[in-house]
Amino acid sequence: MNDKSTGKPTPVVVVAEPLAESGLAVLRDDGLEVHEVSGGEQLGQLIARAHALIVRSKTKVTEALLDAAPSLQVVGRAGVGVDTIDVEAATRAGIVVLNTPDASTLATAEHTMTLMLALCRHVGAGQKRIENQRWSAQGLMGEELAGKILGIVGLGRIGTAVAARARAFGMTILAHDAVVSEARAESLGVKLSPLPELLEQSDFVTLHTPLTPQTHSLVGESELARMKRGARIINCARGGLIDERALLGALESGHIAGAAIDVVAEEPPKPGAAVWTLLNHPRVVATPHLGGSTREAQDRIATDLCRDVVAVLHGRPPSGAVNAPMKAPPEVRPFVELAYRLGSAFPQVSDAENLSHFDLVLEGELSNYDGLPFAVSFLVGLLPHLTDERVSAVNALEIARRMGVVVETLGAACERGFAKALAVRGHRTSFAGTVVHGEQLRLVDIDGFEIDVLPLGHLLLTRHHDVPGIVGKVGTMLGEARINISTMQVARNDRGDAIMMLGIDRAPDMSIIKELREIEDVERVTGIEL
């Protein structure tokens, strides 16, 4: 079938899993040829003709499937994750991969408020009494939200939506976020606060931050102990942000009055798993990951995705894409990749609470090139550590603008012994890197310490006093943990300080990091994943 207006074949869209009718209408209204399929055999028959493929979570978009689709331009995932899509294979084939995390913002914010209300008004316990034909309010005295302090950890899209709704309930709002400026917070009616102070002052704490190595077990035993006695905590963000064992202990002791949980570290929990004890605790309100499960959210997911699919098929940029390519002259593309790795490393190494302003310095011959591709690549590496929004080359600048993250690109002479180098400075931390032999990335400077490290894989950074024995003690501990060291770089300055960067074969768990930090004369130990 041809498009009458252009004479070209009408694009074919294969919808491999159920999709809301609102999304299908977007496709059909554009005149596309839409095929809804119900099984692998039908998909196999149509994929050779497909220009677009829409999936949810069951269909595996493998390299073999992509190879069988020579006309495919775009794969759309009606949801957040893209674990079932071979994104690298799609990128190699020039196929755009889309997903839709933004569409569930309102649903998740409303569910957060629902659980908060249910928690402080004992809705679950009251329902159980009714089911047992017991009409009694004894022991179920609740609390009002009005006048209480709500601490929001993560002031992104969902955290901001929660803040707006909490203000309507008359709550005072504190927020902790590494990148939100004071002016932005003030405009939202929110007071920024360091995490320890937020925990100490809040009557309710709600989590809305992405799950990263830095935020895993963000709220553990010590954080729960900091909270007010009788405070309550809500997690509709990511399983793993709360240490579930520690939370159970805090509930059992009565220090934490209640918890509302929509997500757990392992979903679905296995029968008999320890987390079921937490989920069934009398002071816990729990739901099975219902945050984005509303008809309206599913409609938005479908319509947003299909609008992006239409845009790609018409040669227009989508609102966002997982793997949007970024163009740069071939001779500097390795430096663009280096910028991404510097961006990813920065929040893992810096101890600054507010990562909002950076100088990206193009040194030597690199200063002759447009700085934009480097800045965008740096943001694509940085922002996923700071926000739960989908970040790609096509939306990184817009997300950074909304979050108040500024990257200024500067040109300068290179005084490191290289023709070209890339440096980043901000918040008392600095990195520099270069490319050797045409394509090999190197990290050559951290905070003024000269090193030579491949910025890839599992790395371990120590900061310590320049005294004998540190290298041996660290190596011994890693050996006892059966962690192999592949590379080692040690650098020191004339002030008696030193750093050591190790390449290791697997990421150390927090217990090993803790042991390393207890070595005498060691000031900091940081795991880095690149």
Side-chain angles (χ1 to χ4, degrees), residues 332 335-336 339 360 362 366 369-378 422:
V332 295
F335 281 92
V336 173
L360 193 62
L362 281 60
L366 210 59
Y369 293 86
D370 180 7
L372 183 60
F374 305 93
V376 172
S377 187
F378 176 81
L422 186 67

Side-chain angles (χ1 to χ4, degrees), residues 184-449:
R184 169 68 172 163
E186 185 177 347
S187 72
L188 298 172
V190 172
K191 179 183 177 183
L192 288 182
S193 175
L195 183 58
E197 292 181 14
L198 179 148
L199 295 172
E200 292 167 358
Q201 297 176 23
S202 298
D203 300 296
F204 296 84
V205 173
T206 180
L207 307 180
H208 300 287
T209 187
L211 181 65
T212 68
Q214 290 71 47
T215 61
H216 189 275
S217 295
L218 177 69
V219 179
E221 185 175 354
S222 60
E223 288 76 21
L224 291 164
R226 276 187 177 271
M227 291 175 64
K228 287 182 179 179
R229 184 171 184 84
R232 295 170 172 86
I233 189 165
I234 303 97
N235 186 12
C236 290
R238 297 289 187 273
L241 293 176
I242 300 178
D243 182 327
E244 293 164 355
R245 188 186 299 271
L247 177 57
L248 179 59
L251 290 165
E252 291 284 359
S253 71
H255 183 74
I256 298 299
I261 300 171
D262 188 50
V263 289
V264 293
E266 182 180 357
E267 296 182 8
K270 293 182 174 65
V275 72
W276 287 110
T277 303
L278 173 64
L279 296 174
N280 288 293
H281 193 278
R283 288 195 292 276
V284 169
V285 175
T287 50
H289 207 146
L290 298 181
S293 296
T294 65
R295 285 190 295 272
E296 294 86 352
Q298 294 306 308
D299 278 344
R300 282 193 295 271
I301 286 171
T303 55
D304 289 355
L305 178 64
C306 290
R307 285 170 183 157
D308 264 1
V309 167
V310 168
V312 173
L313 293 178
H314 285 289
R316 302 191 302 269
S319 61
V322 174
N323 64 338
M326 183 171 52
K327 294 183 179 179
E331 66 272 17
V332 295
R333 284 176 187 167
F335 281 92
V336 173
E337 170 69 11
L338 177 63
Y340 168 82
R341 296 193 184 279
L342 295 180
S344 183
F346 204 100
Q348 299 182 63
V349 172
S350 175
D351 59 357
E353 284 206 352
N354 189 320
L355 298 174
S356 58
H357 191 280
F358 303 88
D359 290 331
L360 193 62
V361 186
L362 281 60
E363 298 183 354
E365 297 174 8
L366 210 59
S367 62
N368 297 323
Y369 293 86
D370 180 7
L372 183 60
F374 305 93
V376 172
S377 187
F378 176 81
L379 287 169
V380 171
L382 173 80
L383 294 176
H385 294 273
L386 308 178
T387 178
D388 59 355
E389 291 191 63
R390 174 188 64 221
V391 179
S392 71
V394 297
N395 65 0
L397 289 173
E398 172 60 19
I399 292 174
R401 184 192 64 77
R402 285 193 278 105
M403 296 177 68
V405 176
V406 177
V407 178
E408 293 188 26
T409 56
L410 310 169
C414 186
E415 300 176 350
R416 306 177 190 275
F418 305 104
K420 297 187 285 288
L422 186 67
V424 58
R425 303 189 298 253
H427 310 281
R428 305 186 306 278
T429 299
S430 64
F431 286 102
T434 191
V435 176
V436 298
H437 306 303
E439 59 182 19
Q440 297 179 19
L441 310 186
R442 289 291 187 272
L443 187 60
V444 298
D445 184 288
I446 297 179
D447 291 340
F449 292 95

